């Protein structure tokens, strides 16, 4: 009679071990809490402030054409911003910004792990002996560097694909349809919506061509996904397609002034996309996947090697084609946007948001042809790549060990609420004014810092705002733009960062207190600033001669632990 090993009953299932591994990954966030490091560029300086202000101003679900968000750009149209029917906005309604971000980070990664694990177990690694590798790949997926403020735009794609494949086979249950309907509530349409719809549409057409009859349930699932996106993203569709509330500043995008041109630049971009991907969509080195493919082909039996090379090589060719498109797309826009204006307004290059899942699908395809030892090596390498290229995780480890990166402040040091409360209190004592009664702009620090501290700002970092506002703001900084052609192109040909610029600071939008920067000549048009409603400049750099800029020093503020030192200047 066979005897059982007592240790077998104590062994945890691979999926449970993967979840525990993810918990260890997010543990530093739980320990550090508001002192956690949060990705700054295109994230803390552009994303966290939006759901916070939508909730704070009570306009998250106010889609009327006249609704505005007063703290942004002296009243940015509400419908220029992300929708209120979003899990992200709901979290910011329940929690402070830092807590909402950390909870979203944990949930997005956990759901991504479970989604990819379910997809792998159903489609690629269904055998019992493949449970460990499926769990390991799912954990590697959940540890990728990503912008969690985009919700499940990347991490949720496996769940959507799982549901559509079930519909395709005629095996869908109610929860598959629920997954499809839920996807738009926690994703960003402009990043993934058109591309998942297009990819799934191509799959539907392919099946129709092969089977000579359409798959109506699959088409119904596509219609459901689009319909829910129309409901969730109503502010976007309404403002741009129905009411045409405003002309977006994006119509003046001119990538010909910003994009390196030529074959060499395009190939360089293609290689970078192929080997690393794009940072918004998760930037990680693809070497573990390439190793798995090479091993799967090299170790194949002689009679199977050619077929395996064709299968896996076909995936690599498709991914290479996607990388080439992404690498040359900016040049395509630079060449064609004046002939076809939609190329400048809508970024078709975001097709690369599909790339991470495609690479992990290829990884799983290769792994199922490898032995357990090779699987362990490849999955272990991918785990190390994910951790080693994850700046949030690495910076939080430094925070925990007491050796933070001086150029990468944690959330509390960056937002510095105590410091900016000092500034507000000083203004209140000097003038009796509350923040809603005056307007500020920032120099040497992102306006999002002021916005998270409840200031009302004329400047902001926005992907979509009215073109006339850009034209009204430009005279304030025209003197500095005239000094620096790089900054001039940066604003005139792009302009998402509608900032106060200084040619001496360049693109340094994070001037820390320890840098002790002084701007010798600030060509600031105080009259234009005042005409737009501005009264104060919050500067992270000292102005050597503020009077020449039409400003006077109203206070200097510092706070232990704050990343900034603030000079407060008032328009004379």
């Amino acid at each position: 009679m066979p005897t059982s090993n007592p240790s077998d009953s104590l062994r945890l299932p691979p999926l449970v071990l993967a979840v525990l591994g993810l918990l260890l990954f997010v543990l530093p966030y739980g320990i550090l809490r508001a002192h956690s490091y949060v990705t700054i560029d295109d994230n803390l300086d552009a994303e966290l402030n939006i759901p916070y202000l939508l909730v704070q101003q009570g306009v998250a679900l106010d889609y009327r054409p006249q609704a505005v968000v007063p703290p942004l750009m002296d009243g940015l149209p509400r419908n220029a911003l992300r929708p209120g029917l979003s899990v992200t906005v709901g979290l910011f309604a329940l929690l402070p910004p830092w807590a909402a971000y950390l909870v979203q980070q944990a949930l997005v990664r956990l759901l991504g792990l479970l989604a990819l694990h379910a997809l792998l177990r159903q489609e690629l690694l269904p055998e019992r002996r493949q449970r460990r590798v499926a769990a390991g790949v799912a954990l590697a997926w959940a540890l990728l560097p990503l912008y969690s403020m985009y919700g499940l735009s990347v991490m949720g794609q496996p769940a959507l694909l799982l549901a559509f494949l079930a519909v395709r086979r005629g095996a869908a249950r109610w929860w598959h349809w629920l997954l499809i309907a839920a996807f738009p509530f926690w994703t960003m349409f402009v990043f993934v919506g058109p591309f998942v719809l297009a990819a799934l549409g191509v799959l539907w057409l392919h099946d129709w061509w092969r089977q000579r009859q359409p798959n109506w349930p699959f088409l119904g699932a596509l219609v459901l996904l689009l319909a829910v996106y129309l409901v969730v993203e109503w502010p976007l569709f309404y403002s741009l397609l129905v009411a045409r509330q405003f002309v977006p500043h994006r119509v003046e995008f001119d990538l010909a002034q910003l994009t390196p041109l030529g074959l060499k630049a395009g190939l360089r971009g293609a290689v970078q996309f192929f080997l690393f991907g794009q940072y918004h969509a998760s930037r990680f080195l693809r070497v573990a996947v390439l190793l798995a493919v090479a091993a799967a082909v090299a170790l194949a039996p002689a009679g199977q090697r050619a077929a395996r090379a064709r299968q896996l090589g076909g995936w690599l060719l498709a991914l290479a084609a996607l990388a080439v498109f992404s690498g040359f797309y900016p040049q395509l826009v630079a060449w064609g946007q004046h002939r076809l204006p939609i190329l400048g307004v809508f970024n078709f290059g975001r097709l690369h948001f599909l790339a991470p899942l495609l690479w992990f699908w290829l990884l799983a395809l290769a792994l199922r042809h490898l032995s357990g030892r090779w699987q362990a090596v490849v999955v272990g390498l991918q785990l190390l790549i994910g951790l080693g290229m994850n700046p949030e995780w690495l910076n939080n480890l430094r925070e925990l060990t007491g050796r933070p990166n001086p150029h990468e402040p944690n959330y509390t040091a960056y937002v510095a609420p105590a410091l900016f409360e000092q500034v507000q209190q000083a203004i209140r004592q000097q003038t009796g004014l509350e923040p809603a009664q005056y307007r500020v702009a920032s120099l040497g620090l992102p306006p999002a810092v002021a916005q998270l501290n409840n200031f009302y700002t004329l400047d902001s970092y926005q992907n979509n705002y009215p073109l006339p506002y850009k034209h009204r703001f430009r005279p304030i900084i025209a003197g500095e733009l005239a000094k620096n052609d790089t900054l001039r192109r940066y604003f005139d040909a792009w302009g998402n960062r509608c900032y106060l610029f200084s040619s001496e600071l360049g693109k340094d939008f994070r001037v820390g207190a320890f840098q002790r920067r002084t701007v010798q000549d600030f060509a600031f048009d105080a009259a234009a600033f005042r005409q737009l409603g501005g009264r104060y400049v919050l500067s992270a750099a000292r102005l050597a001669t503020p009077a020449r800029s039409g400003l006077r020093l109203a206070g200097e503020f510092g706070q232990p632990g704050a990343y900034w030192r603030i000079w407060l200047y008032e328009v004379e």
Side-chain angles (χ1 to χ4, degrees):
M1 184 174 182
T3 59
S4 61
N5 188 342
S7 64
D8 292 340
S9 61
L10 300 176
R11 189 175 297 163
L12 294 174
L15 179 58
V16 174
L17 291 174
V19 171
L20 291 176
L22 179 60
L23 290 177
L24 289 176
F25 172 84
V26 301
L27 183 61
Y29 296 95
I31 296 172
L32 293 166
R33 304 182 69 187
H35 293 276
S36 298
Y37 174 79
V38 172
T39 300
I40 295 173
D41 294 331
D42 293 352
N43 191 53
L44 187 47
D45 67 354
E47 294 292 343
L48 273 73
N49 54 322
I50 301 304
Y52 168 72
L53 290 174
L54 289 176
V55 170
Q56 185 214 46
Q57 296 294 314
V59 294
L61 297 174
D62 186 353
Y63 299 160
R64 295 174 301 159
Q66 63 269 31
V68 298
V69 184
L72 295 175
M73 297 177 139
D74 201 28
L76 182 67
R78 183 267 168 270
N79 288 342
L81 304 171
R82 66 163 67 213
L85 287 175
S86 158
V87 175
T88 300
V89 175
L91 289 174
F92 276 78
L94 297 173
L95 300 166
W98 67 266
Y101 179 84
L102 299 189
V103 170
Q104 171 139 316
Q105 173 90 245
L107 290 177
V108 162
R109 292 186 181 279
L110 175 61
L111 293 175
L113 186 155
L114 298 176
L116 187 67
H117 182 266
L119 178 65
L120 294 178
R121 295 294 289 154
Q122 176 176 292
E123 300 295 333
L124 295 177
L125 302 169
E127 298 177 16
R128 182 176 177 82
R129 63 182 179 83
Q130 295 171 327
R131 291 184 307 158
R132 288 189 180 88
V133 67
V137 172
L139 177 59
W141 171 256
L143 299 187
L144 289 178
L146 59 87
Y147 277 63
S148 62
M149 281 301 293
Y150 302 156
L152 292 170
S153 296
V154 173
M155 288 282 117
Q157 290 177 33
L160 186 69
L161 181 58
L162 174 76
F164 268 93
L165 291 178
V167 173
R168 185 189 188 207
R169 288 196 305 270
R173 303 182 64 180
W174 65 268
W175 56 270
H176 289 109
W177 293 96
L178 181 61
L179 284 176
I180 294 170
F183 187 75
F185 286 92
W186 211 351
T187 58
M188 303 284 284
F189 176 80
V190 294
F191 291 140
V192 296
F195 310 112
V196 297
L197 285 164
L200 293 168
V202 168
L203 179 59
W204 179 74
L205 291 171
H206 171 268
D207 289 347
W208 187 4
W209 180 77
R210 291 193 62 182
Q211 298 170 11
R212 305 303 179 188
Q213 61 180 4
N215 186 330
W216 293 114
F218 195 97
L219 179 61
L222 280 171
V223 172
L224 174 64
L225 180 62
L226 177 59
V228 178
Y229 259 129
L230 286 172
V231 172
V232 173
E233 298 279 354
W234 182 245
L236 174 68
F237 294 114
Y238 181 77
S239 64
L240 295 181
L241 303 179
V242 180
R244 295 189 178 274
Q245 282 181 252
F246 58 87
V247 177
H249 80 289
R250 302 175 69 89
V251 301
E252 284 193 346
F253 278 9
D254 188 356
L255 265 67
Q257 295 191 48
L258 301 172
T259 303
L261 303 177
L263 179 64
K264 184 177 180 180
L267 290 175
R268 185 187 303 114
V271 170
Q272 290 178 349
F273 274 105
F274 184 77
L275 291 178
F276 294 96
Q278 201 268 353
Y279 63 98
H280 287 134
S282 184
R283 183 174 176 83
F284 66 93
L285 183 63
R286 295 2 183 176
V287 67
V289 186
L290 295 174
L291 174 63
V293 169
V297 173
L299 299 177
Q304 301 176 20
R305 190 169 298 154
R308 194 174 295 179
R310 282 194 299 271
Q311 180 198 36
L312 300 179
W315 274 94
L316 281 178
L317 284 175
L319 289 167
L322 176 58
V324 169
F325 170 78
S326 299
F328 282 91
Y329 177 77
Q331 297 191 51
L332 172 64
V333 175
W335 172 81
Q337 68 180 103
H338 298 298
R339 299 171 177 85
L340 191 62
I342 193 174
L343 289 175
V345 176
F346 184 81
N347 187 356
F348 292 94
R350 287 174 177 153
L351 184 63
H352 55 63
F353 268 82
L354 304 182
L357 179 57
L358 295 177
W359 277 97
F360 265 72
W361 184 277
L362 176 58
L363 175 62
L365 277 177
L367 284 172
R368 66 180 184 175
H369 296 303
L370 297 176
S371 66
R373 182 175 299 177
W374 269 102
Q375 289 174 347
V377 169
V378 170
V379 174
L381 178 59
Q382 181 57 52
L383 287 168
L384 290 175
I385 289 172
L387 291 174
M389 298 190 69
N390 193 314
E392 283 196 347
W393 189 73
L394 295 174
N395 279 298
N396 276 322
L397 286 186
R398 295 190 62 159
E399 290 283 344
L400 283 174
T401 57
R403 302 182 64 183
N405 184 338
H407 298 281
E408 299 293 338
N410 64 48
Y411 178 89
T412 298
Y414 184 86
V415 177
L419 172 64
F420 286 93
E421 177 58 34
Q422 284 184 31
V423 178
Q424 288 185 8
Q425 185 62 29
I427 295 173
R428 196 176 291 117
Q429 290 174 353
Q430 293 173 16
T431 65
L433 298 177
E434 296 297 328
Q437 297 175 284
Y438 56 88
R439 300 293 181 267
V440 305
S442 301
L443 176 66
L445 72 158
V449 177
Q451 292 158 6
L452 287 166
N453 283 290
N454 302 314
F455 284 93
Y456 285 56
T457 71
L458 297 179
D459 49 349
S460 197
Y461 184 1
Q462 299 297 332
N463 291 315
N464 187 25
Y465 65 90
L467 179 62
Y469 189 86
K470 179 182 178 181
H471 293 165
R472 291 166 60 202
F473 190 89
R474 193 187 191 282
I476 300 171
I477 55 174
E480 290 297 324
L481 298 184
K483 298 180 191 176
N484 189 315
D485 197 52
T486 298
L487 291 179
R488 182 197 60 76
R489 291 195 305 270
Y490 190 67
F491 183 78
D492 289 344
W494 188 57
N496 283 11
R497 281 193 168 98
C498 189
Y499 283 12
L500 295 186
F501 290 111
S502 162
S503 64
E504 295 173 46
L505 298 179
K507 292 184 182 179
D508 186 357
F509 308 126
R510 208 190 303 172
V511 180
F514 63 93
Q515 294 176 266
R516 301 181 181 277
R517 298 290 298 274
T518 297
V519 174
Q520 299 296 330
D521 178 33
F522 184 40
F524 174 79
D525 192 327
F529 183 65
R530 191 72 169 181
Q531 186 176 11
L532 201 57
R535 180 159 182 171
Y536 292 100
V537 172
L538 307 176
S539 180
R542 185 179 70 85
L543 301 183
T545 55
R548 288 166 54 186
S549 307
L551 301 169
R552 71 169 185 86
L553 182 63
E556 181 181 345
F557 306 89
Q559 180 76 21
Y563 182 74
W564 320 99
R565 186 167 192 83
I566 296 298
W567 283 263
L568 177 67
Y569 295 100
E570 184 177 10
V571 175
E572 288 190 314

